[in-house]
Amino acid sequence: MGSNSIPGVSSAPRSDLAVLKPFTPAGHAYDEMFLLRWLASVPPQVIVLLLLIWPAAAFAQSGVYGMPDAFAALWRWIPFLTLQGFVFNVVISIFAMLIGTLAGAALGLGQISNRIWLRRLAWGITQLFRNAPWLVILFIVLLAFPFEINVFGFIIPVPAWMKAVIGLSLPIMANISEIVRGAVMSVPSAQWEAAESLSFSRTQTLWQIILPQCFKRMIPPWMNWYAILTMATPLCSLLGVGEIITFSRQAMEAENNRPELLVPFFGYALALFFAYCYPIARFTIALEKRFAVKL
Amino acid sequence: MTNWTPEQPIISIHNVRKSFGVVEVLKGVSMDIMKGEVICIIGPSGSGKSTLIRCINALNDIQGGSITVEGQEVHDDDLDRLELRKKVGMVFQQYNLFPHKSALENVMMAPIKVLNEDRAEVETRARALLKKVRLEGKEDNYPGELSGGQQQRVAIARSLAMRPDVMLFDEVTAALDPETVKEVLVTIKDLAAEGMTCILVTHEMGFAREVADHIYFTDKGVIVEHGSPSEFFDHASDPRTQEFLSQIL
Ligand SMILES: Nc1ncnc2c1ncn2[C@@H]1O[C@H](COP(=O)(O)OP(=O)(O)OP(=O)(O)O)[C@@H](O)[C@H]1O
Ligand SMILES: [Mg+2]
């Protein structure tokens, strides 16, 4: 059917020579653990090296307003950028992860329900939020949500950061949903049958036999999504949420927007994200290894 | 609820038909099994042996005929499958123990969670069962730490803990080393001697001859021949049976 529909692409090879060799991107496969695997593969020496480059750059003299001035400016701003900015990125990531995990677990269980409509619905929601661009989701949430909600006569304000949390939790939800579904599917169907033949109900089987077995398997990819989420929190600066990138830009403005500021300020933000996620990555990989021996 | 009495067959299979898609795997199979009997089903690979015994505890559905267990129709939409499965225990070729639970917990789980029995009571029973299958001292080992033969005996104990009336065994020794096959067969023989109704799918001909009250030979979804072990092994009349036996013995 499709063999002639795309010009130049036919199902039967026109020559018996292989046209392409297998496509093998270098590094880690783009799987459910790609970010953490890459992060964890960075040797700790590299981090020390980076830390040494930094002061070295600071002393490289250039022009009137030089790098030393830019680093001095950064030094003054570091407490603010870190405690008001980065801490808020962490707060956003934790809340979004919490909501995303709870909603994602429910959605994932929906995906394996034996009610077909529920399964389809959960599948559809998962696909939608897993594949939609995060920034689009964020803007939709920002614009679609009211700035305050009325709960039984109480006016609860919904600040932009809360919307950002909700917006970020949606793609997380969808990906957690897939982790739950995938983990449940990774348990051999023989386990279901063994439980069934012992008179366990479906719900009992799921909660007492299947989920306990695959719970450990979910943790590493779950952590991977946490790292991805954390690194995505600067998207919130586009919503005007006061987080590290927003504050870095404001600080640079206060320092007269000198171009020399860009590398130190954003470099600092990058270093913070790396420093935060690197231990998570190392820990998760160690955890993954330990689980692998166990079961 | 049904007026079944022990004089009637405990399991009655009548003209059962089962298809997977368009492939008919069981083409009208009938057999009656009395309480306390040991039945062996033998036959070439793919002849539908596993499918047949999986129909008995409703792991597979059927497209025609009827199966009753203690007078109750198994393939009735109103049937409480969970109730049925309390009466029918099943042991699989691949043991299928729960890997996250110790041997003892594997045995205790179903009575506690499904039958809501008292934990202490169940534990006493589970320990006795593990002793009975000669696994004393292995209570706290996880399935991954046990040999195939030991795992299979835990699986038998796990089924017995539900106090079933009938036990189904689907090639339970097929995945085992020749040396460990014996320990599992001894366990089954003990059970049979105690009067448990057993339906076994097996390739162990010597064992079948020794323990079975009745042997059924299946081929391509039908029962070709059945009879007592001596009738079957020494006086098989059907050429398919003769051919199978000549290959295997
Ligand atoms: N879930 C299934 N879906 C489709 N076909 C199946 C399924 N289960 C079994 N079959 C088919 O049904 C037929 C009978 O299978 P069954 O497992 O009952 O054979 P068996 O007699 O137990 O064989 P063996 O000795 O190899 O275990 C086979 O042809 C098999 O391919
Ligand atoms: Mg089989």
Side-chain angles (χ1 to χ4, degrees), chain A residues 190-202 204 208-210 212-213 295, chain B residues 54 57 59 82 85-86 88 90 92 96-100 109-110 113-114 158 162:
Chain A
Q191 288 286 313
W192 285 92
E193 288 189 342
E196 244 179 285
S197 68
L198 286 167
S199 250
F200 281 92
S201 70
R202 206 189 136 80
Q204 280 177 323
Q208 298 181 9
I209 290 153
I210 305 299
Q213 284 184 53
L295 267 177
Chain B
R54 289 163 56 89
N57 72 346
L59 281 180
L82 302 185
R85 288 174 185 148
K86 287 176 192 168
V88 184
M90 178 151 185
F92 301 85
N96 300 349
L97 292 181
F98 305 135
H100 60 303
M109 241 181 129
K113 306 286 185 190
V114 176
R158 181 175 70 173
M162 293 292 281

Side-chain angles (χ1 to χ4, degrees), chain A residues 54 57-59 64-82 247-266 268:
Chain A
W54 221 26
F59 288 109
V64 198
Y65 187 94
M67 272 297 160
D69 306 289
F71 273 90
L74 173 63
W75 187 251
R76 284 194 301 279
W77 286 100
I78 274 181
F80 174 71
L81 292 180
T82 312
F247 288 158
S248 297
R249 284 165 59 193
Q250 288 173 5
M252 285 187 283
E253 231 158 84
E255 298 286 337
N256 301 323
N257 271 335
R258 290 192 184 273
E260 288 86 353
L261 295 168
L262 274 172
V263 172
F265 273 72
F266 286 139
Y268 177 68

Side-chain angles (χ1 to χ4, degrees), chain A residues 193, chain B residues 18-21 23-26 41-54 60 93 170-171 201 203 218 221:
Chain A
E193 288 189 342
Chain B
K18 162 76 190 166
S19 312
F20 289 107
V23 187
E24 191 162 50
V25 174
L26 299 177
I41 303 172
I42 62 181
S45 180
S47 60
K49 308 180 296 292
S50 300
T51 308
L52 177 63
I53 70 167
R54 289 163 56 89
N60 283 344
Q93 180 175 338
D170 188 2
E171 294 189 38
V201 173
H203 287 307
T218 58

Side-chain angles (χ1 to χ4, degrees), chain A residues 223-260:
Chain A
M223 300 275 250
N224 189 57
W225 279 103
Y226 179 64
I228 294 172
L229 167 66
T230 307
M231 295 200 179
T233 50
L235 287 176
C236 301
S237 69
L238 294 165
L239 308 189
V241 175
E243 49 71 69
I244 187 162
I245 298 303
T246 313
F247 288 158
S248 297
R249 284 165 59 193
Q250 288 173 5
M252 285 187 283
E253 231 158 84
E255 298 286 337
N256 301 323
N257 271 335
R258 290 192 184 273
E260 288 86 353

Side-chain angles (χ1 to χ4, degrees), chain A residues 15 21 27 68 71 85 97 167-168 247 290:
Chain A
S15 89
K21 290 196 282 177
F71 273 90
M97 197 65 193
L168 288 173
F247 288 158
R290 230 184 60 203

